[in-house]
Amino acid sequence: HKKGLLDLIHAVNGKIRNPTRLAQLYKICDKYGITVLYAEPLSYDNGWLSGMIDSDGSICLNHKSDQIFLSIGQKNKLLLDPLTHLYGGSLYLQKQTVSFKWVVFRKDQLFALVEYFKKHPLRSAKKNRAFLIPMYFRLKELKAHLATTNSILGKAWIRFNKKWDSYS
């Protein structure tokens, strides 16, 4: 119904960053005579990043390189550009899919993001992996990934990997 639609428009107006969605908002706002508001510039303490990771991001462990990385993929580079300035990481063009990927893999930047997630929680199961990041680095420093499977460190590494793989 019209009232519900207008309530929705007013609720999202000024919060949309995706240019495609903004163009759609323009059309509907024009129809109802509503002025479109632009989203404020992204700041470090804005919870937007958590939502982006929940929807379009991933937190992965590459077992071959023993490296954790957090990434977000998008077709529109404009959505990812501010992230490198605010949170670190790098932006890459993925030629095969003609899309862009923001990637964070440095330990200090990952730890900063874990602190960010304490203030702006992830809502998906990805939060479980995010909070395993410090444990990963502790175990790596202890060389648990190189330990024999029957040793205490080896068993700790196996438990960590089970938690990581199960998202629990």
Side-chain angles (χ1 to χ4, degrees):
H1 56 70
K2 185 176 178 179
K3 183 190 178 322
L5 180 61
L6 291 174
D7 288 347
L8 176 63
I9 292 168
H10 288 294
V12 300
N13 198 3
K15 301 203 176 6
I16 295 180
R17 296 183 183 283
N18 185 317
T20 304
R21 302 293 168 255
L22 198 54
Q24 293 169 337
L25 180 65
Y26 261 106
K27 287 179 184 177
I28 195 76
C29 284
D30 185 50
K31 179 177 175 131
Y32 290 106
I34 299 170
T35 303
V36 174
L37 304 174
Y38 291 99
E40 292 182 18
L42 198 59
S43 68
Y44 186 88
D45 283 322
N46 182 306
W48 182 83
L49 177 64
S50 290
M52 277 297 286
I53 291 170
D54 274 336
S55 64
D56 296 328
S58 60
I59 304 171
C60 298
L61 170 57
N62 182 329
H63 291 285
K64 290 181 182 174
S65 66
D66 276 331
Q67 182 133 25
I68 285 185
F69 60 92
L70 183 146
S71 65
I72 299 174
Q74 279 289 310
K75 289 186 179 189
N76 192 317
K77 184 177 180 275
L78 294 174
L79 289 170
L80 301 176
D81 277 337
L83 301 182
T84 56
H85 303 294
L86 293 170
Y87 307 102
S90 302
L91 195 56
Y92 300 97
L93 171 64
Q94 295 184 291
K95 293 179 184 175
Q96 68 275 17
T97 58
V98 191
S99 62
F100 298 89
K101 192 172 208 175
W102 173 69
V103 180
V104 176
F105 57 86
R106 285 186 31 204
K107 180 181 176 179
D108 60 328
Q109 293 172 346
L110 287 168
F111 272 62
L113 286 171
V114 169
E115 291 304 311
Y116 170 89
F117 296 138
K118 290 177 184 176
K119 294 177 189 170
H120 305 284
L122 295 166
R123 304 291 183 198
S124 71
K126 294 171 189 171
K127 70 179 174 237
N128 300 320
R129 281 191 174 176
F131 292 115
L132 284 172
I133 291 172
M135 180 186 290
Y136 166 81
F137 283 104
R138 275 195 304 274
L139 290 171
K140 280 279 290 194
E141 286 173 8
L142 294 169
K143 304 216 183 290
H145 63 296
L146 301 174
T148 60
T149 55
N150 291 330
S151 68
I152 293 172
L153 286 176
K155 289 177 182 177
W157 184 249
I158 291 168
R159 271 193 311 278
F160 166 80
N161 279 289
K162 283 183 181 176
K163 281 184 182 181
W164 185 271
D165 291 339
S166 70
Y167 268 74
S168 61

